Amino acid sequence: MTFSVIISMALFALAASITPGPVNLLSLSCSARFGTRSGLLFVTGATLGFIVLFLFIGFSLHFLVDKLVWLTVILQWFGIAFLVYLSYQLFIDDGTLNSKDRRRAPTFMTGVIMQWLNPKAWLASLSGIAAYIPNALSTELVTFASVYLPICWLSLACWVWLGLRLGQHFQSAANVRLMNKALALLLLASCVLLVI
């Protein structure tokens, strides 16, 4: 594998990770509401969840999806239903600013599970593997995952940073409700874009 291919993989990973999507929006909301620790814990879970999904697809599911096209459709609709549910929960949130109540903050496991239900993560994995390592050789797959890991984490951490900055400006429950409703609508819009 040449250096130029690794750079190309890194650019793909950056574009797939930093662009707005369900996990990015939840990272922003989580950090704005619950602070750095909760945001980074969620981001770490989401990053590791994505890498495990990526390796799983590369080592096994990649071949299955080629043979069973309907499986991708079912996974996509299940993921979209979960994201619509998350949008609804964010939309109806009361905006209470009690950051000490961490029971409502997304956790490490929320990040892990969300990536497995995130159509964007499935599409990024499948398209990245198909484009860069169509034969999915073990060494190439591990190299790609190793490139993806820090880029994914840093990209999501940028959304945490943005959430922290926004959180400083949304110090009332009414403002948090407004931000949550806007983020919920953006999350819902990302689901619509996945469907069309």
Side-chain angles (χ1 to χ4, degrees), residues 4-178:
S4 61
V5 171
I6 292 173
I7 294 298
S8 184
M9 285 176 171
L11 293 173
F12 173 85
L14 179 63
S17 299
I18 205 160
T19 52
V23 173
N24 309 74
L25 294 174
L26 199 54
S27 299
L28 185 145
S29 175
C30 177
S31 59
R33 181 113 184 254
F34 298 103
T36 307
R37 184 178 180 279
S38 291
L40 291 179
L41 196 61
F42 172 76
V43 161
T44 302
T47 301
L48 294 177
F50 175 78
I51 294 302
V52 171
L53 173 68
F54 184 83
L55 291 170
F56 176 72
I57 288 173
F59 283 126
S60 62
L61 194 63
H62 175 65
F63 302 106
L64 232 150
V65 169
D66 284 344
K67 303 291 184 224
L68 305 171
V69 178
W70 57 269
L71 182 62
T72 306
V73 175
I74 288 174
L75 292 170
Q76 180 180 17
W77 282 107
F78 185 71
I80 288 170
F82 178 71
L83 296 176
V84 168
Y85 168 76
L86 285 177
S87 310
Y88 173 73
Q89 291 300 315
L90 194 56
F91 193 84
I92 64 167
D93 184 76
D94 66 2
T96 306
L97 289 169
N98 185 2
S99 62
K100 293 183 180 15
D101 185 12
R102 302 247 179 237
R103 292 171 300 184
R104 296 182 57 197
T107 63
F108 176 88
M109 281 311 295
T110 306
V112 171
I113 293 166
M114 190 167 175
Q115 287 292 34
W116 281 74
L117 298 174
N118 180 2
K120 181 185 171 194
W122 283 84
L123 294 173
S125 297
L126 287 168
S127 60
I129 290 167
Y132 292 98
I133 47 174
N135 297 328
L137 300 173
S138 296
T139 54
E140 293 174 335
L141 190 61
V142 170
T143 300
F144 200 175
S146 299
V147 167
Y148 227 125
L149 181 87
I151 291 170
C152 182
W153 192 89
L154 289 169
S155 296
L156 293 175
C158 288
W159 285 86
V160 169
W161 177 82
L162 182 60
L164 292 170
R165 295 297 154 260
L166 282 175
Q168 293 172 353
H169 300 289
F170 290 89
Q171 294 299 314
S172 72
N175 287 340
V176 170
R177 275 193 304 275
L178 180 66

